Amino acid sequence: MNFQKICVIGLGYIGLPTASTFSMQGVNVLGVDVNPHIIETLNRGEIHIHEPGLREAVANAVQTGNFKAAAKPAEADAFIIAVPTPFQENQFGEYNGIQYKLADMRAVISAAESILPVLRKGNLIVLESTSPPRTTMDLVAPILERTGLKAGSDFFLCYSPERVLPGQILRELIENARVIGGVTTESAQAGADLYSIFVKGQIVQTDATTAEMVKLMENTYRDVNIAIANEFSRLADKFGVDVWEAISIANLHPRVKILSPGPGVGGHCISVDPWFFVESAPELTPLIYNSRQVNDGQPQFVAELVTRALGGLQGKKIAALGLAYKPDVDDLRESPANEVVHLLQKQGAQIKAWEPFKPDAKLPGITMSPTFEDAVKDADAILLLVKHTEFSNLIPAELAELTKARIAIDTVNSWDMAQWQSAGFQLVRLGVGK
Ligand code: SAJ
C-alpha cells in the first residue's frame, strides 16, 4: 500500500515523534490534537515536551511543509491513534475483596469517532495507545464500522504499540522491532507497509489481540521484576545486608538478572499497563496485582527509611533531589518521588524539592526550589530520589559547603559511601541494613 498523506491523532510523547519521523521521510502529515495551545505551538515550529532531538525534527518538518497541526482529522490514506489511556479517576473495579484500577478509554473513543466523517474505503487505521486486550476488535472496530464500512475488508485496521524509551524515542522508533497486529492478515500487511517507511528494526505481523498482549506483557514483566527487586531491598534492610552488593553477586549467575530497587515505579507505562491485565481478568492475575501493590508501597518504605534516619520527621527540613519518574527525563507523571515527598510532609517534614529538568513545575502541595543551592541551604538532610546524572556527579565535599545537612539518603544507589563519609556526611542507603 502507498501512503502520501497520513493523519496522526494525539501529539504527545508518542504521536509527535511518530508524526515528525514520517514527515522526515517525505510523507505529508496532519497532526491532530484537542489542545489548541499544542496546535499553535507546533505550527510555529516549536514543541511542548522535552525529548532529545525532537525540537529540531519538528522545526524541520514544519519548515518543509510536510507537517501541520490541526484540531480535526482530514481525509488521508492512514490514521494513527496515539492518545493517552490513563486510569479512571474515581471508578474502581472489585474482585474478591481486591480493588483494581480501570482504564479510561474516552480519548481512544473520541479519536476513533473523529475519523468517522473522513473515513474512506481502502484507508488504514492504526491504534497505538496502550489498551486492554481486545480493544481493537471490541471497541475501535465497532466505532469505525458505524460508517457502514467493514473492518478488515473495506478498510484496514491494526494495533501497533509503541515501545520506545523516553529519552531515546527518536532513535528507538526507527531501530526497535515493531509489532503490527491486524484484524486480518491484509490489515497487518497494510500496517507493515506503513511503518516500513521508517522502521529499520524487524517488523513482525500478527493479529491485533496478540499485539495488544505483547505490549502489556513487556511492561508487566518489567513491573514484576522491579517488584521483586524492591522486595529484596526490604529483606536486605531487615537482615543487615547491602542489597546492591547482593544483587551484583546474584547477577553473576548466567540466568539471573535482577533489576534495581528504588523509591517505586513511575511513569505512564509500567505503573499503569499491568492494571489493564488485572482489569481484564482479575481472577487470573494475583501475581501482577501483588507486584503492583509492592511497587506502589515502595514510597512508604522509603518514607520509613527517612524517618529512621532522621529519628522522626516533625519539623525536619529535607532537600528532595529529583521529582522526575526516572533519570534524566523531565516527565513527572506518576512519579514515586512525588509520592515520597507527600508522605514525608504528612508526617511533619518540611520539604524543598529541586528538579533540574523542570525547576518551575507546579505540583500541588509541593514547594519547588528555584535553584539547587536554595533547596539544600537550610536542610537537615539531603534525600536523593532520582538518579539524574548531575546528582550522581555531585561532589560531597563541595556540597558540604552549601548545606548544613550532614545526613544524606540515597534511594537509587548513586553515591559512594567512602566519599560521602570522608566529606563529613552520614550516608544512609535504601536496601542497606548493614
Ligand atoms: N525502575 C526501577 N528499577 C529498574 C528499572 C526501572 O525502579 O531496575 C523504575 C524507573 O525508575 C521508573 C519506572 O521503573 O520509575 C519505569 O522506568 P523504565 O525505564 O523501566 O520504563 P519506562 O516507563 O520509561 O518505559 C517503558 C519501557 N518498557 C520496557 O522497558 C519493557 C519502554 O520500552 C516502553 O515503550 C514504555 O514503557 C511504554 O511506553 O510503554
Side-chain angles (χ1 to χ4, degrees), residues 207-222:
D207 64 84
T209 309
T210 301
E212 289 164 347
M213 263 198 77
V214 166
K215 168 71 193 185
L216 298 179
M217 280 164 56
E218 290 168 351
N219 281 351
T220 301
Y221 166 87
R222 203 156 162 85

Side-chain angles (χ1 to χ4, degrees), residues 120-306:
R120 288 174 305 172
K121 224 172 163 167
N123 278 163
L124 165 67
I125 293 87
V126 184
L127 176 64
E128 284 202 14
S129 312
T130 306
S131 302
R134 295 201 62 86
T135 297
T136 310
M137 301 289 282
D138 296 348
L139 183 72
V140 177
I143 293 175
L144 298 174
E145 287 178 341
R146 286 188 214 152
T147 50
L149 299 172
K150 184 110 189 63
S153 49
D154 293 325
F155 61 90
F156 303 112
L157 178 60
C158 290
Y159 180 76
S160 180
E162 56 76 18
R163 297 141 97 198
V164 288
L165 202 64
Q168 306 181 26
I169 293 179
L170 289 174
R171 185 176 60 74
E172 289 207 353
L173 263 183
I174 293 170
E175 290 176 7
N176 286 4
R178 181 117 209 169
V179 55
I180 317 261
V183 300
T184 54
T185 49
E186 294 77 13
S187 290
Q189 185 56 52
D193 292 346
L194 175 66
Y195 288 98
S196 64
I197 293 176
F198 67 74
V199 171
K200 295 211 176 82
Q202 192 186 354
I203 295 184
V204 187
Q205 297 184 35
T206 181
D207 64 84
T209 309
T210 301
E212 289 164 347
M213 263 198 77
V214 166
K215 168 71 193 185
L216 298 179
M217 280 164 56
E218 290 168 351
N219 281 351
T220 301
Y221 166 87
R222 203 156 162 85
D223 197 44
V224 171
N225 280 284
I226 297 169
I228 201 162
N230 282 334
E231 211 157 86
F232 288 154
S233 75
R234 302 177 192 183
L235 290 167
D237 184 283
K238 181 177 167 81
F239 295 123
V241 165
D242 178 335
V243 76
W244 307 96
E245 181 193 358
I247 288 175
S248 72
I249 299 171
N251 282 351
L252 295 175
H253 187 291
R255 285 175 296 284
V256 174
K257 178 77 192 79
I258 301 167
L259 295 176
S260 303
V265 171
H268 196 65
C269 308
I270 295 190
S271 65
V272 177
D273 300 359
W275 287 113
F276 293 178
F277 272 143
V278 177
E279 158 180 4
S280 311
E283 73 287 4
L284 299 177
T285 44
L287 175 66
I288 300 174
Y289 171 81
N290 282 304
S291 300
R292 279 279 75 244
Q293 296 297 103
V294 169
N295 287 336
D296 279 352
Q298 192 71 353
Q300 178 61 38
F301 182 70
V302 168
E304 285 160 20
L305 177 74
V306 177

Side-chain angles (χ1 to χ4, degrees), residues 317-319 374-382 403-406:
K317 294 186 177 146
I318 301 173
D374 177 74
V376 298
K377 193 171 55 184
D378 299 321
D380 298 309
I382 312 286
T403 177
K404 67 182 183 61
R406 286 298 173 263

Side-chain angles (χ1 to χ4, degrees), residues 26-48:
V27 180
N28 193 304
V29 181
L30 180 70
V32 175
D33 205 283
V34 289
N35 183 333
H37 169 70
I38 293 179
I39 298 171
E40 191 238 326
T41 307
L42 294 174
N43 282 334
R44 279 202 318 265
E46 287 165 24
I47 57 173
H48 59 291

